[in-house]
Amino acid sequence: MTETPQETLANLLSEDRTFPPSPEFTRSANVTESAYDEAAADRLAFWETQARRLDWTKEWDQTLDWSNPPFAKWFTGGELNVAVNCLDRHVEAGLGDRVAIHFEGEPGDTRTVTYAEMLDEVKRAANALTDLGVEAGDRVVIYMPMIPQAAVAMLACARIGAPHSVVFGGFSVDALSSRIEDAGAKVVITADGGFRKGKASALKPTVDAAAERCPSIEKVLVVRRTGEDVEWHDRDLWWHETVDTASNEHEARSFDAEHPLFILYTSGTTGRPKGILHTSGGYLTQTAYTHHAVFDLKPETDVYWCAADIGWVTGHSYVVYGPMANGATQVMYEGTPDTPHKGRIWEIVEKYGVSILYTAPTAIRTYMKWGDDIPDRFDLSSLRVLGSVGEPINPEAWMWYREHIGHDKCPVVDTWWQTETGAIMVSPLPGVTATKPGSAQRPLPGISVDVVDDEGESVPNGGGGFLTIREPWPSMLRTIWGDDQRFLDTYWSRFANMYFAGDGAKRDDDGDIWLLGRVDDVMLVSGHNISTTEVESALVSHDTVAEAAVVGATDPLTGQGIVAFVILRGATESSPEHLAELRGHVASTLGPIAKPRQVMVVSELPKTRSGKIMRRLLRDIAEDRKLGDVTTLQDSSVMARIKEGLQARSED
Ligand code: 6R9
């Protein structure tokens, strides 16, 4: 067989629209072009400057200890308390009356929590946890709805140095108990339930079942949210009887910069979950800096809203730690975006005058599908920065976000990062970058990201390859909990001296970075490596398509054939002519090599809690195999419904 020379990853999509920031935005921007120069001149000095945003009780001796790579230590010898940095220091600075959280419950109940109130509750919760026997180093699992007590619980753990592990409230008994077990958690903090899709959705029964299986659990602390009946066991305590009655005096002790702050389990879209370990000083430095730089937060005037669940890393870094370290005022919403109507998100933006909105492409595509007329009904003029995270954002969705939500005046920042990176790594800076629809563009100041080929050599502009990180960064994962070897194998073995993120990427002619999806999902068609992202973006750029997911299915002729699953805009049925048109549209946008072999219309796609499409499950369908592990699906019944729908249609 002859080896055909092969690009690492094909570069098929080209985009020439750019949107520079307005001169007014640039004039008052938190960060300017000089940040890149400053960081390039001396990366470690740059991060030291950023670390000084925080209050340290003991100065560090060394900025970075990289003597035992890839096990990094940042700000060694330094000491701080993360919760004090998020709360006490703002209150001490006279900002106790500033709103920390505008809480909006799904049923319409609201609560305003100031920084002083937040601090008071965190101190009580810290005392309560200590009374339950939780000591520094002990692990606490948090399994809660999106209510202020979730943030209180996380900060109370941080305050006493007990690493938390937040498990997404939609996960099953299996997923919850395997995480409790792996972390060896002593206490679970939960709620009776939360409100979703217009009704109470119970959480406590899942914890009850998990606690039966997990002997490490000594106590379960339960917030009363829905008021529904719950079963009660000896290990259970009500939050309102325990935390509300605890003392609000609590002296916080300082912890080493490398003290574990949290473990967050990620399965990505494949495999056994990995407990990603983050520590204190470096993590808080980078989340605080990036939140300041990428969202241009003006804490006195902005109302910030990151619409992510706390069970996702985005909820850790950009709901709790980054924003609170910066003294932000934010919105927290408990429920689903279509309850009680499809304008709920925009109604909340209007109600609180949200100025910075951070959400995921999957949500943006859903709002697009629901129709432009919905956001048009609300006053969105308070918005000034829009962010995206979680997946590559298709140029079509990016433009819609810019036009229909940002009314052409808000910079859109597409932020690339991972649970493992802890904080944003690649993103435009809103006052500096001329943005391009669909591109995450440049590594942030102080971050060395590269796109390399198979051999680990940087690809030239116009080339595609693997996204890697060349230098350690403050908020990097420190290891996989309890499994250093897996940490080495997973992230540091593919290329020498580089962290490999698992994502494909390309550089355009200007050197800007475009993310192309997980390399595990890359399709090999007639000797070309084709990214799922580009084909999906081509499909979504057709007027009739709201969402698309493509997979490579074994094909006797081409190696793999591209099979596309599409959700239509405003229709559930298609015709053979329409499907042919979609295939032709991809071929004419990207070239004949990317033409899907087959297009199937579906009404839903299998997604994780953060909206990532689980393509391996779709591959199972495309290749007609038994379904693999579905434990991290946001909605585990969706696969059955997709299969039924496809069957019904093919029987027509
Ligand atoms: C923050 C978060 C990480 C994976 C990552 C990549 C994808 C996230 C992205 C993006 C393209 C972006 N991803 N942001 N892809 N553009 N702006 O999502 O963390 O849940 O660990 O997922 O998400 O594939 O490797 P996590």
Side-chain angles (χ1 to χ4, degrees), residues 264 266 268 276 312-314 318 358 361 388-393 413-421 423 426 438-440 467 499 501-504 514-519 533 608-610 612:
L264 183 59
T266 171
I276 304 301
W312 183 19
V313 69
T314 307
Y318 299 105
Y358 192 28
S388 170
V389 57
E391 277 181 288
I393 178 165
V413 289
D414 173 18
T415 63
W416 178 87
W417 59 294
Q418 307 177 294
T419 305
E420 292 86 342
T421 70
V426 184
S439 174
L467 192 80
Y499 169 88
D503 284 340
W514 296 70
L515 274 302
L516 296 180
R518 306 294 295 169
V519 295
T533 302
T608 66
R609 66 196 154 152
S610 61
K612 295 188 214 318

Side-chain angles (χ1 to χ4, degrees), residues 60 140 217 304-305 363 398 414 493 531 543 546 555 567 585 588 640:
W60 55 90
V140 174
I217 293 302
Y304 165 83
W305 184 14
W398 194 103
D414 173 18
S493 64
S531 95
D543 290 347
D555 187 289
I567 301 180
H585 177 73
S588 64

Side-chain angles (χ1 to χ4, degrees), residues 133-306:
V134 179
E135 291 176 14
D138 290 344
R139 278 81 59 208
V140 174
V141 161
I142 297 175
Y143 183 74
M144 288 176 90
M146 277 303 280
I147 55 176
Q149 290 90 336
V152 169
M154 290 164 74
L155 289 165
C157 289
R159 193 175 185 91
I160 61 172
H164 55 69
S165 182
V166 182
V167 178
F168 176 56
F171 281 176
S172 63
V173 180
D174 284 340
L176 176 62
S177 34
S178 64
R179 285 158 176 75
I180 292 173
E181 240 164 55
D182 189 84
K186 215 169 169 174
V187 167
V188 178
I189 308 178
T190 187
D192 48 1
F195 292 100
R196 290 191 68 75
K197 301 185 182 165
K199 52 182 197 291
S201 158
L203 290 172
K204 175 85 171 27
T206 311
V207 175
D208 291 343
E212 293 302 321
R213 295 191 202 171
C214 300
S216 66
I217 293 302
E218 294 170 13
K219 297 285 174 200
V220 176
L221 189 55
V222 190
V223 173
R224 187 150 69 197
R225 167 68 186 140
T226 62
E228 291 207 311
D229 284 344
V230 288
E231 263 186 42
W232 210 246
H233 303 92
D234 287 346
R235 59 180 175 257
D236 298 335
L237 299 128
W238 282 115
W239 176 283
H240 58 267
E241 289 173 2
T242 315
V243 174
D244 292 0
T245 57
S247 160
N248 65 353
E249 279 175 38
H250 184 272
E251 184 124 16
R253 70 175 249 228
S254 295
F255 295 96
D256 191 273
E258 285 297 335
H259 187 80
L261 179 62
F262 65 85
I263 303 165
L264 183 59
Y265 287 85
T266 171
S267 56
T269 43
T270 46
R272 183 167 62 91
K274 304 183 277 280
I276 304 301
L277 177 69
H278 282 288
T279 60
S280 304
Y283 172 81
L284 198 62
T285 295
Q286 194 175 329
T287 50
Y289 171 68
T290 52
H291 183 257
H292 161 86
V294 173
F295 300 109
D296 195 51
L297 179 87
K298 314 284 193 240
E300 304 76 25
T301 48
D302 274 317
V303 178
Y304 165 83
W305 184 14
C306 167

Side-chain angles (χ1 to χ4, degrees), residues 71 182 272-275 478-491:
F71 299 93
D182 189 84
R272 183 167 62 91
K274 304 183 277 280
R478 297 307 195 257
T479 189
I480 291 175
W481 180 254
D483 202 343
D484 287 349
Q485 191 56 46
R486 193 171 178 208
F487 169 62
L488 293 168
D489 296 343
T490 309
Y491 304 107

Side-chain angles (χ1 to χ4, degrees), residues 495-531:
F495 301 105
N497 307 319
M498 274 186 268
Y499 169 88
F500 173 48
D503 284 340
K506 69 179 186 189
R507 262 195 242 277
D508 68 14
D509 293 336
D510 302 322
D512 283 320
I513 293 175
W514 296 70
L515 274 302
L516 296 180
R518 306 294 295 169
V519 295
D520 297 343
D521 291 332
V522 165
M523 304 172 290
L524 183 62
V525 183
S526 305
H528 294 272
N529 280 311
I530 299 185
S531 95

Side-chain angles (χ1 to χ4, degrees), residues 55 82 89 91 114 414 437 455 459 588:
D55 284 359
V82 168
R89 64 175 179 148
V91 175
T114 64
D414 173 18
E455 311 292 312
V459 303
S588 64

Side-chain angles (χ1 to χ4, degrees), residues 11-12 75 136 156 170 192 207-208 216 255 259 281 347 382 477 557 617 634 647 652:
N11 176 1
L12 302 174
F75 308 112
D192 48 1
V207 175
D208 291 343
S216 66
F255 295 96
H259 187 80
E347 183 179 69
S382 54
L477 76 166
L557 288 179
L617 297 178
Q634 195 197 10
Q647 234 151 34
D652 285 345

